[in-house]
Amino acid sequence: MKKTSTRLADGRELIYYDLGDDTVRDAVDRRPLDATVTTSEIRRDPLLGDAVAVASHRQGRTYHPPADECPLCPSAGERLSEIPDSSYDVVVFENRFPSLAGDSGRCEVVCFTSDHHTSFARLDERQARLVLDAWTDRTAELSHLPSVEQVFCFENRGAEIGVTLQHPHGQIYAYPFTTPRTSLMLRQVAAHKEATGGENLFDAVLERELAAERIVLTSEHWVAFVPYAAHWPYEVHLYPRRRVPDLLGLEEAARAEFPRVYLELLRRFDRIFGEGEPPTPYIAAWHQAPFGGLEEFDGVTRDDFALHLELFTIRRTSGKLKFLAGSESGMNVFINDVPPERAAERLREVASS
């Protein structure tokens, strides 16, 4: 992998990740852009204790442009985009309309490929590995920023999820706090550790799932399963067999095997609802240990956390979505219409050839 860092016309950082070591990246952003102005601030909810990012400047962000005006495609002639060069393998750049900025963190866009009309599931294994390497590199770099406590790499896919740019891409959020979902996990880890005299909760969960009927696929270094209490109609958790706190901790053998396993999972997701159905909308979310703020979780260290990816869709059956209505949105109590055992069975049935 070759990494080349440059700056866009408004001062934002852009980084090329290339498969070829001899690739030269010297294209200049020719757009007449003013410096980016953001209004992002973090507000604490005094009743729930969680955080809300208020970012009114995002109202003006790019919304469903036609393919020939996509800002994530390479620049071509006088059609100038966020990527100055005429081609790329993987690109990461600071979001022009960030939810988090400055002392409130940082938001980045990850373009998985220059091909506007493909998807992550259709990448080859070399390209998918390059994306993994970019996620890992950005996790390392962002963890050194003084305002950052947790790094979150994720992909939103599909209009049903709320995606406004159809080009294959994901995002990275660098939060200045430990997110509420991770805090819930860490509290459970701490309680389990104390109750069992030191047993790791993630290890216990993985051991239980390996003995259950919700396994989707396994390999030498990875395990994918539908969790016992899945929140979403089709939800898969992907764990490395050896517990590590973050992407940086993955050994080379697991990194080399990841593209094959992950691409297989994504391709199965696209087959869940049968041939002729539109692509399955999903969220793919990497859960990594925070880089600070662990003091409130008694006896828990970063090494107690287990890196894992959670992949889920809001489509519950053909043509129907799972909406977060009264119980889910009002009380955070999920009601799942698809038994996890049946979801796992279906995902085994649609194994790609």
PDB file of all heavy atoms in Angstrom, residues 73-109:
ATOM      1  N   CYS A  73     -16.678  10.800  -7.465  1.00  0.00           N
ATOM      2  CA  CYS A  73     -15.998  10.262  -8.642  1.00  0.00           C
ATOM      3  C   CYS A  73     -14.712  11.057  -8.897  1.00  0.00           C
ATOM      4  O   CYS A  73     -14.602  12.211  -8.453  1.00  0.00           O
ATOM      5  CB  CYS A  73     -16.912  10.346  -9.866  1.00  0.00           C
ATOM      6  SG  CYS A  73     -18.283   9.160  -9.848  1.00  0.00           S
ATOM      7  N   PRO A  74     -13.752  10.492  -9.613  1.00  0.00           N
ATOM      8  CA  PRO A  74     -12.541  11.264  -9.936  1.00  0.00           C
ATOM      9  C   PRO A  74     -12.889  12.473 -10.794  1.00  0.00           C
ATOM     10  O   PRO A  74     -13.890  12.475 -11.515  1.00  0.00           O
ATOM     11  CB  PRO A  74     -11.690  10.258 -10.720  1.00  0.00           C
ATOM     12  CG  PRO A  74     -12.257   8.922 -10.413  1.00  0.00           C
ATOM     13  CD  PRO A  74     -13.703   9.126 -10.143  1.00  0.00           C
ATOM     14  N   SER A  75     -12.072  13.504 -10.715  1.00  0.00           N
ATOM     15  CA  SER A  75     -12.244  14.663 -11.590  1.00  0.00           C
ATOM     16  C   SER A  75     -11.944  14.259 -13.034  1.00  0.00           C
ATOM     17  O   SER A  75     -11.084  13.413 -13.288  1.00  0.00           O
ATOM     18  CB  SER A  75     -11.308  15.802 -11.172  1.00  0.00           C
ATOM     19  OG  SER A  75     -11.690  16.320  -9.911  1.00  0.00           O
ATOM     20  N   ALA A  76     -12.682  14.867 -13.953  1.00  0.00           N
ATOM     21  CA  ALA A  76     -12.493  14.554 -15.378  1.00  0.00           C
ATOM     22  C   ALA A  76     -12.650  15.834 -16.181  1.00  0.00           C
ATOM     23  O   ALA A  76     -13.737  16.411 -16.225  1.00  0.00           O
ATOM     24  CB  ALA A  76     -13.505  13.502 -15.839  1.00  0.00           C
ATOM     25  N   GLY A  77     -11.582  16.294 -16.802  1.00  0.00           N
ATOM     26  CA  GLY A  77     -11.635  17.528 -17.586  1.00  0.00           C
ATOM     27  C   GLY A  77     -12.027  18.703 -16.713  1.00  0.00           C
ATOM     28  O   GLY A  77     -11.393  18.996 -15.704  1.00  0.00           O
ATOM     29  N   GLU A  78     -13.130  19.368 -17.111  1.00  0.00           N
ATOM     30  CA  GLU A  78     -13.607  20.515 -16.340  1.00  0.00           C
ATOM     31  C   GLU A  78     -14.651  20.121 -15.290  1.00  0.00           C
ATOM     32  O   GLU A  78     -15.185  20.985 -14.607  1.00  0.00           O
ATOM     33  CB  GLU A  78     -14.181  21.571 -17.286  1.00  0.00           C
ATOM     34  CG  GLU A  78     -13.139  22.190 -18.204  1.00  0.00           C
ATOM     35  CD  GLU A  78     -11.949  22.753 -17.422  1.00  0.00           C
ATOM     36  OE1 GLU A  78     -12.188  23.509 -16.459  1.00  0.00           O
ATOM     37  OE2 GLU A  78     -10.793  22.416 -17.767  1.00  0.00           O
ATOM     38  N   ARG A  79     -14.961  18.840 -15.200  1.00  0.00           N
ATOM     39  CA  ARG A  79     -15.876  18.379 -14.145  1.00  0.00           C
ATOM     40  C   ARG A  79     -15.032  18.055 -12.917  1.00  0.00           C
ATOM     41  O   ARG A  79     -14.392  17.014 -12.836  1.00  0.00           O
ATOM     42  CB  ARG A  79     -16.665  17.140 -14.586  1.00  0.00           C
ATOM     43  CG  ARG A  79     -17.798  16.787 -13.622  1.00  0.00           C
ATOM     44  CD  ARG A  79     -18.387  15.438 -13.930  1.00  0.00           C
ATOM     45  NE  ARG A  79     -17.454  14.347 -13.693  1.00  0.00           N
ATOM     46  CZ  ARG A  79     -17.136  13.894 -12.488  1.00  0.00           C
ATOM     47  NH1 ARG A  79     -17.654  14.447 -11.389  1.00  0.00           N
ATOM     48  NH2 ARG A  79     -16.275  12.898 -12.364  1.00  0.00           N
ATOM     49  N   LEU A  80     -15.028  18.983 -11.966  1.00  0.00           N
ATOM     50  CA  LEU A  80     -14.152  18.879 -10.807  1.00  0.00           C
ATOM     51  C   LEU A  80     -14.926  18.344  -9.606  1.00  0.00           C
ATOM     52  O   LEU A  80     -16.036  18.795  -9.314  1.00  0.00           O
ATOM     53  CB  LEU A  80     -13.554  20.255 -10.480  1.00  0.00           C
ATOM     54  CG  LEU A  80     -12.829  20.942 -11.644  1.00  0.00           C
ATOM     55  CD1 LEU A  80     -12.336  22.319 -11.220  1.00  0.00           C
ATOM     56  CD2 LEU A  80     -11.677  20.072 -12.151  1.00  0.00           C
ATOM     57  N   SER A  81     -14.310  17.402  -8.897  1.00  0.00           N
ATOM     58  CA  SER A  81     -14.974  16.756  -7.768  1.00  0.00           C
ATOM     59  C   SER A  81     -14.121  16.903  -6.508  1.00  0.00           C
ATOM     60  O   SER A  81     -13.131  17.634  -6.493  1.00  0.00           O
ATOM     61  CB  SER A  81     -15.196  15.270  -8.080  1.00  0.00           C
ATOM     62  OG  SER A  81     -13.958  14.568  -8.040  1.00  0.00           O
ATOM     63  N   GLU A  82     -14.490  16.181  -5.473  1.00  0.00           N
ATOM     64  CA  GLU A  82     -13.711  16.183  -4.232  1.00  0.00           C
ATOM     65  C   GLU A  82     -12.367  15.495  -4.407  1.00  0.00           C
ATOM     66  O   GLU A  82     -11.479  15.664  -3.570  1.00  0.00           O
ATOM     67  CB  GLU A  82     -14.505  15.478  -3.120  1.00  0.00           C
ATOM     68  CG  GLU A  82     -15.702  16.248  -2.600  1.00  0.00           C
ATOM     69  CD  GLU A  82     -15.305  17.343  -1.624  1.00  0.00           C
ATOM     70  OE1 GLU A  82     -14.660  18.328  -2.057  1.00  0.00           O
ATOM     71  OE2 GLU A  82     -15.625  17.231  -0.440  1.00  0.00           O
ATOM     72  N   ILE A  83     -12.231  14.691  -5.469  1.00  0.00           N
ATOM     73  CA  ILE A  83     -10.973  13.991  -5.724  1.00  0.00           C
ATOM     74  C   ILE A  83     -10.305  14.626  -6.937  1.00  0.00           C
ATOM     75  O   ILE A  83     -10.783  14.499  -8.067  1.00  0.00           O
ATOM     76  CB  ILE A  83     -11.198  12.486  -5.964  1.00  0.00           C
ATOM     77  CG1 ILE A  83     -11.746  11.820  -4.701  1.00  0.00           C
ATOM     78  CG2 ILE A  83      -9.894  11.811  -6.352  1.00  0.00           C
ATOM     79  CD1 ILE A  83     -13.222  11.807  -4.539  1.00  0.00           C
ATOM     80  N   PRO A  84      -9.199  15.344  -6.754  1.00  0.00           N
ATOM     81  CA  PRO A  84      -8.579  16.082  -7.865  1.00  0.00           C
ATOM     82  C   PRO A  84      -8.037  15.196  -8.978  1.00  0.00           C
ATOM     83  O   PRO A  84      -8.018  15.607 -10.136  1.00  0.00           O
ATOM     84  CB  PRO A  84      -7.436  16.851  -7.184  1.00  0.00           C
ATOM     85  CG  PRO A  84      -7.806  16.908  -5.742  1.00  0.00           C
ATOM     86  CD  PRO A  84      -8.552  15.647  -5.466  1.00  0.00           C
ATOM     87  N   ASP A  85      -7.602  13.982  -8.651  1.00  0.00           N
ATOM     88  CA  ASP A  85      -6.974  13.142  -9.670  1.00  0.00           C
ATOM     89  C   ASP A  85      -8.035  12.498 -10.569  1.00  0.00           C
ATOM     90  O   ASP A  85      -9.217  12.439 -10.224  1.00  0.00           O
ATOM     91  CB  ASP A  85      -6.126  12.053  -9.010  1.00  0.00           C
ATOM     92  CG  ASP A  85      -4.865  11.766  -9.818  1.00  0.00           C
ATOM     93  OD1 ASP A  85      -4.925  11.869 -11.050  1.00  0.00           O
ATOM     94  OD2 ASP A  85      -3.828  11.436  -9.205  1.00  0.00           O
ATOM     95  N   SER A  86      -7.579  11.981 -11.714  1.00  0.00           N
ATOM     96  CA  SER A  86      -8.487  11.393 -12.706  1.00  0.00           C
ATOM     97  C   SER A  86      -8.774   9.918 -12.433  1.00  0.00           C
ATOM     98  O   SER A  86      -9.560   9.292 -13.156  1.00  0.00           O
ATOM     99  CB  SER A  86      -7.892  11.536 -14.116  1.00  0.00           C
ATOM    100  OG  SER A  86      -6.617  10.911 -14.164  1.00  0.00           O
ATOM    101  N   SER A  87      -8.148   9.359 -11.412  1.00  0.00           N
ATOM    102  CA  SER A  87      -8.386   7.977 -11.026  1.00  0.00           C
ATOM    103  C   SER A  87      -7.919   7.791  -9.587  1.00  0.00           C
ATOM    104  O   SER A  87      -7.156   8.608  -9.064  1.00  0.00           O
ATOM    105  CB  SER A  87      -7.638   6.996 -11.947  1.00  0.00           C
ATOM    106  OG  SER A  87      -6.239   7.147 -11.763  1.00  0.00           O
ATOM    107  N   TYR A  88      -8.370   6.724  -8.957  1.00  0.00           N
ATOM    108  CA  TYR A  88      -7.864   6.406  -7.619  1.00  0.00           C
ATOM    109  C   TYR A  88      -8.227   4.967  -7.271  1.00  0.00           C
ATOM    110  O   TYR A  88      -9.101   4.352  -7.891  1.00  0.00           O
ATOM    111  CB  TYR A  88      -8.393   7.374  -6.561  1.00  0.00           C
ATOM    112  CG  TYR A  88      -9.893   7.355  -6.317  1.00  0.00           C
ATOM    113  CD1 TYR A  88     -10.480   6.444  -5.442  1.00  0.00           C
ATOM    114  CD2 TYR A  88     -10.740   8.283  -6.940  1.00  0.00           C
ATOM    115  CE1 TYR A  88     -11.851   6.454  -5.206  1.00  0.00           C
ATOM    116  CE2 TYR A  88     -12.103   8.297  -6.699  1.00  0.00           C
ATOM    117  CZ  TYR A  88     -12.655   7.375  -5.830  1.00  0.00           C
ATOM    118  OH  TYR A  88     -14.015   7.379  -5.595  1.00  0.00           O
ATOM    119  N   ASP A  89      -7.547   4.419  -6.266  1.00  0.00           N
ATOM    120  CA  ASP A  89      -7.907   3.106  -5.723  1.00  0.00           C
ATOM    121  C   ASP A  89      -8.844   3.305  -4.533  1.00  0.00           C
ATOM    122  O   ASP A  89     -10.023   3.013  -4.603  1.00  0.00           O
ATOM    123  CB  ASP A  89      -6.647   2.333  -5.319  1.00  0.00           C
ATOM    124  CG  ASP A  89      -5.833   1.907  -6.531  1.00  0.00           C
ATOM    125  OD1 ASP A  89      -6.417   1.773  -7.625  1.00  0.00           O
ATOM    126  OD2 ASP A  89      -4.610   1.704  -6.391  1.00  0.00           O
ATOM    127  N   VAL A  90      -8.302   3.829  -3.423  1.00  0.00           N
ATOM    128  CA  VAL A  90      -9.105   4.204  -2.253  1.00  0.00           C
ATOM    129  C   VAL A  90      -8.691   5.607  -1.846  1.00  0.00           C
ATOM    130  O   VAL A  90      -7.508   5.949  -1.878  1.00  0.00           O
ATOM    131  CB  VAL A  90      -8.895   3.216  -1.080  1.00  0.00           C
ATOM    132  CG1 VAL A  90      -9.563   3.729   0.196  1.00  0.00           C
ATOM    133  CG2 VAL A  90      -9.426   1.829  -1.435  1.00  0.00           C
ATOM    134  N   VAL A  91      -9.673   6.415  -1.478  1.00  0.00           N
ATOM    135  CA  VAL A  91      -9.413   7.788  -1.049  1.00  0.00           C
ATOM    136  C   VAL A  91     -10.140   8.063   0.265  1.00  0.00           C
ATOM    137  O   VAL A  91     -11.279   7.629   0.447  1.00  0.00           O
ATOM    138  CB  VAL A  91      -9.870   8.807  -2.122  1.00  0.00           C
ATOM    139  CG1 VAL A  91      -9.998  10.201  -1.526  1.00  0.00           C
ATOM    140  CG2 VAL A  91      -8.894   8.852  -3.282  1.00  0.00           C
ATOM    141  N   VAL A  92      -9.476   8.797   1.140  1.00  0.00           N
ATOM    142  CA  VAL A  92     -10.095   9.275   2.378  1.00  0.00           C
ATOM    143  C   VAL A  92      -9.904  10.778   2.445  1.00  0.00           C
ATOM    144  O   VAL A  92      -8.805  11.281   2.168  1.00  0.00           O
ATOM    145  CB  VAL A  92      -9.455   8.622   3.623  1.00  0.00           C
ATOM    146  CG1 VAL A  92     -10.067   9.194   4.903  1.00  0.00           C
ATOM    147  CG2 VAL A  92      -9.617   7.107   3.594  1.00  0.00           C
ATOM    148  N   PHE A  93     -10.967  11.513   2.783  1.00  0.00           N
ATOM    149  CA  PHE A  93     -10.814  12.962   2.938  1.00  0.00           C
ATOM    150  C   PHE A  93     -11.745  13.479   4.026  1.00  0.00           C
ATOM    151  O   PHE A  93     -12.742  12.840   4.374  1.00  0.00           O
ATOM    152  CB  PHE A  93     -11.067  13.695   1.615  1.00  0.00           C
ATOM    153  CG  PHE A  93     -12.443  13.501   1.029  1.00  0.00           C
ATOM    154  CD1 PHE A  93     -13.500  14.332   1.400  1.00  0.00           C
ATOM    155  CD2 PHE A  93     -12.681  12.499   0.102  1.00  0.00           C
ATOM    156  CE1 PHE A  93     -14.767  14.163   0.860  1.00  0.00           C
ATOM    157  CE2 PHE A  93     -13.934  12.325  -0.451  1.00  0.00           C
ATOM    158  CZ  PHE A  93     -14.983  13.161  -0.075  1.00  0.00           C
ATOM    159  N   GLU A  94     -11.388  14.630   4.557  1.00  0.00           N
ATOM    160  CA  GLU A  94     -12.228  15.276   5.570  1.00  0.00           C
ATOM    161  C   GLU A  94     -13.573  15.662   4.949  1.00  0.00           C
ATOM    162  O   GLU A  94     -13.619  16.263   3.868  1.00  0.00           O
ATOM    163  CB  GLU A  94     -11.546  16.521   6.107  1.00  0.00           C
ATOM    164  CG  GLU A  94     -10.345  16.258   6.996  1.00  0.00           C
ATOM    165  CD  GLU A  94      -9.783  17.557   7.562  1.00  0.00           C
ATOM    166  OE1 GLU A  94     -10.410  18.131   8.474  1.00  0.00           O
ATOM    167  OE2 GLU A  94      -8.739  18.007   7.054  1.00  0.00           O
ATOM    168  N   ASN A  95     -14.632  15.330   5.644  1.00  0.00           N
ATOM    169  CA  ASN A  95     -15.971  15.644   5.164  1.00  0.00           C
ATOM    170  C   ASN A  95     -16.155  17.157   5.059  1.00  0.00           C
ATOM    171  O   ASN A  95     -15.781  17.901   5.975  1.00  0.00           O
ATOM    172  CB  ASN A  95     -17.012  15.044   6.118  1.00  0.00           C
ATOM    173  CG  ASN A  95     -18.380  14.937   5.497  1.00  0.00           C
ATOM    174  OD1 ASN A  95     -18.815  15.830   4.764  1.00  0.00           O
ATOM    175  ND2 ASN A  95     -19.085  13.866   5.802  1.00  0.00           N
ATOM    176  N   ARG A  96     -16.732  17.594   3.948  1.00  0.00           N
ATOM    177  CA  ARG A  96     -16.991  19.019   3.754  1.00  0.00           C
ATOM    178  C   ARG A  96     -18.145  19.505   4.635  1.00  0.00           C
ATOM    179  O   ARG A  96     -18.251  20.698   4.940  1.00  0.00           O
ATOM    180  CB  ARG A  96     -17.309  19.276   2.276  1.00  0.00           C
ATOM    181  CG  ARG A  96     -17.338  20.752   1.903  1.00  0.00           C
ATOM    182  CD  ARG A  96     -17.573  20.929   0.413  1.00  0.00           C
ATOM    183  NE  ARG A  96     -17.636  22.325   0.034  1.00  0.00           N
ATOM    184  CZ  ARG A  96     -17.966  22.753  -1.178  1.00  0.00           C
ATOM    185  NH1 ARG A  96     -18.260  21.863  -2.130  1.00  0.00           N
ATOM    186  NH2 ARG A  96     -18.007  24.041  -1.456  1.00  0.00           N
ATOM    187  N   PHE A  97     -19.011  18.566   5.035  1.00  0.00           N
ATOM    188  CA  PHE A  97     -20.153  18.901   5.889  1.00  0.00           C
ATOM    189  C   PHE A  97     -20.137  17.990   7.116  1.00  0.00           C
ATOM    190  O   PHE A  97     -20.997  17.134   7.290  1.00  0.00           O
ATOM    191  CB  PHE A  97     -21.466  18.724   5.115  1.00  0.00           C
ATOM    192  CG  PHE A  97     -21.543  19.530   3.846  1.00  0.00           C
ATOM    193  CD1 PHE A  97     -21.235  18.965   2.618  1.00  0.00           C
ATOM    194  CD2 PHE A  97     -21.913  20.873   3.891  1.00  0.00           C
ATOM    195  CE1 PHE A  97     -21.308  19.705   1.445  1.00  0.00           C
ATOM    196  CE2 PHE A  97     -21.984  21.631   2.728  1.00  0.00           C
ATOM    197  CZ  PHE A  97     -21.672  21.046   1.510  1.00  0.00           C
ATOM    198  N   PRO A  98     -19.157  18.169   7.994  1.00  0.00           N
ATOM    199  CA  PRO A  98     -18.967  17.212   9.089  1.00  0.00           C
ATOM    200  C   PRO A  98     -19.972  17.391  10.232  1.00  0.00           C
ATOM    201  O   PRO A  98     -20.378  18.501  10.553  1.00  0.00           O
ATOM    202  CB  PRO A  98     -17.554  17.541   9.576  1.00  0.00           C
ATOM    203  CG  PRO A  98     -17.411  19.012   9.300  1.00  0.00           C
ATOM    204  CD  PRO A  98     -18.152  19.246   7.998  1.00  0.00           C
ATOM    205  N   SER A  99     -20.350  16.261  10.831  1.00  0.00           N
ATOM    206  CA  SER A  99     -21.149  16.304  12.058  1.00  0.00           C
ATOM    207  C   SER A  99     -20.283  16.681  13.250  1.00  0.00           C
ATOM    208  O   SER A  99     -20.771  17.253  14.224  1.00  0.00           O
ATOM    209  CB  SER A  99     -21.788  14.931  12.314  1.00  0.00           C
ATOM    210  OG  SER A  99     -22.591  14.531  11.237  1.00  0.00           O
ATOM    211  N   LEU A 100     -19.001  16.337  13.178  1.00  0.00           N
ATOM    212  CA  LEU A 100     -18.038  16.615  14.242  1.00  0.00           C
ATOM    213  C   LEU A 100     -16.848  17.335  13.636  1.00  0.00           C
ATOM    214  O   LEU A 100     -16.364  16.946  12.575  1.00  0.00           O
ATOM    215  CB  LEU A 100     -17.562  15.312  14.893  1.00  0.00           C
ATOM    216  CG  LEU A 100     -18.627  14.322  15.349  1.00  0.00           C
ATOM    217  CD1 LEU A 100     -17.991  12.972  15.663  1.00  0.00           C
ATOM    218  CD2 LEU A 100     -19.375  14.857  16.563  1.00  0.00           C
ATOM    219  N   ALA A 101     -16.364  18.370  14.303  1.00  0.00           N
ATOM    220  CA  ALA A 101     -15.225  19.117  13.769  1.00  0.00           C
ATOM    221  C   ALA A 101     -14.504  19.834  14.901  1.00  0.00           C
ATOM    222  O   ALA A 101     -15.099  20.164  15.931  1.00  0.00           O
ATOM    223  CB  ALA A 101     -15.689  20.139  12.730  1.00  0.00           C
ATOM    224  N   GLY A 102     -13.206  20.091  14.701  1.00  0.00           N
ATOM    225  CA  GLY A 102     -12.424  20.830  15.680  1.00  0.00           C
ATOM    226  C   GLY A 102     -12.343  20.096  17.002  1.00  0.00           C
ATOM    227  O   GLY A 102     -12.038  18.904  17.063  1.00  0.00           O
ATOM    228  N   ASP A 103     -12.659  20.820  18.088  1.00  0.00           N
ATOM    229  CA  ASP A 103     -12.629  20.214  19.421  1.00  0.00           C
ATOM    230  C   ASP A 103     -13.739  19.194  19.599  1.00  0.00           C
ATOM    231  O   ASP A 103     -13.736  18.432  20.574  1.00  0.00           O
ATOM    232  CB  ASP A 103     -12.763  21.303  20.499  1.00  0.00           C
ATOM    233  CG  ASP A 103     -11.545  22.211  20.548  1.00  0.00           C
ATOM    234  OD1 ASP A 103     -10.471  21.784  20.065  1.00  0.00           O
ATOM    235  OD2 ASP A 103     -11.665  23.347  21.048  1.00  0.00           O
ATOM    236  N   SER A 104     -14.697  19.174  18.688  1.00  0.00           N
ATOM    237  CA  SER A 104     -15.810  18.208  18.760  1.00  0.00           C
ATOM    238  C   SER A 104     -15.539  16.941  17.963  1.00  0.00           C
ATOM    239  O   SER A 104     -16.446  16.138  17.729  1.00  0.00           O
ATOM    240  CB  SER A 104     -17.093  18.873  18.254  1.00  0.00           C
ATOM    241  OG  SER A 104     -17.470  19.957  19.058  1.00  0.00           O
ATOM    242  N   GLY A 105     -14.297  16.731  17.510  1.00  0.00           N
ATOM    243  CA  GLY A 105     -13.962  15.510  16.792  1.00  0.00           C
ATOM    244  C   GLY A 105     -13.700  15.753  15.316  1.00  0.00           C
ATOM    245  O   GLY A 105     -13.389  16.870  14.888  1.00  0.00           O
ATOM    246  N   ARG A 106     -13.863  14.714  14.519  1.00  0.00           N
ATOM    247  CA  ARG A 106     -13.557  14.805  13.091  1.00  0.00           C
ATOM    248  C   ARG A 106     -14.375  13.766  12.323  1.00  0.00           C
ATOM    249  O   ARG A 106     -14.637  12.676  12.833  1.00  0.00           O
ATOM    250  CB  ARG A 106     -12.059  14.564  12.872  1.00  0.00           C
ATOM    251  CG  ARG A 106     -11.615  14.537  11.401  1.00  0.00           C
ATOM    252  CD  ARG A 106     -10.145  14.829  11.308  1.00  0.00           C
ATOM    253  NE  ARG A 106      -9.521  14.334  10.080  1.00  0.00           N
ATOM    254  CZ  ARG A 106      -8.448  14.871   9.527  1.00  0.00           C
ATOM    255  NH1 ARG A 106      -7.879  15.921  10.070  1.00  0.00           N
ATOM    256  NH2 ARG A 106      -7.920  14.350   8.439  1.00  0.00           N
ATOM    257  N   CYS A 107     -14.779  14.123  11.102  1.00  0.00           N
ATOM    258  CA  CYS A 107     -15.517  13.220  10.223  1.00  0.00           C
ATOM    259  C   CYS A 107     -14.793  13.100   8.894  1.00  0.00           C
ATOM    260  O   CYS A 107     -14.398  14.109   8.306  1.00  0.00           O
ATOM    261  CB  CYS A 107     -16.939  13.734   9.974  1.00  0.00           C
ATOM    262  SG  CYS A 107     -18.014  13.693  11.418  1.00  0.00           S
ATOM    263  N   GLU A 108     -14.640  11.874   8.426  1.00  0.00           N
ATOM    264  CA  GLU A 108     -13.972  11.624   7.153  1.00  0.00           C
ATOM    265  C   GLU A 108     -14.845  10.754   6.254  1.00  0.00           C
ATOM    266  O   GLU A 108     -15.677   9.975   6.733  1.00  0.00           O
ATOM    267  CB  GLU A 108     -12.631  10.926   7.388  1.00  0.00           C
ATOM    268  CG  GLU A 108     -11.654  11.765   8.204  1.00  0.00           C
ATOM    269  CD  GLU A 108     -10.307  11.110   8.392  1.00  0.00           C
ATOM    270  OE1 GLU A 108     -10.198   9.882   8.219  1.00  0.00           O
ATOM    271  OE2 GLU A 108      -9.345  11.830   8.715  1.00  0.00           O
ATOM    272  N   VAL A 109     -14.632  10.899   4.955  1.00  0.00           N
ATOM    273  CA  VAL A 109     -15.308  10.088   3.942  1.00  0.00           C
ATOM    274  C   VAL A 109     -14.291   9.099   3.383  1.00  0.00           C
ATOM    275  O   VAL A 109     -13.145   9.461   3.110  1.00  0.00           O
ATOM    276  CB  VAL A 109     -15.871  10.967   2.808  1.00  0.00           C
ATOM    277  CG1 VAL A 109     -16.500  10.106   1.710  1.00  0.00           C
ATOM    278  CG2 VAL A 109     -16.884  11.961   3.353  1.00  0.00           C
TER     279      VAL A 109
END
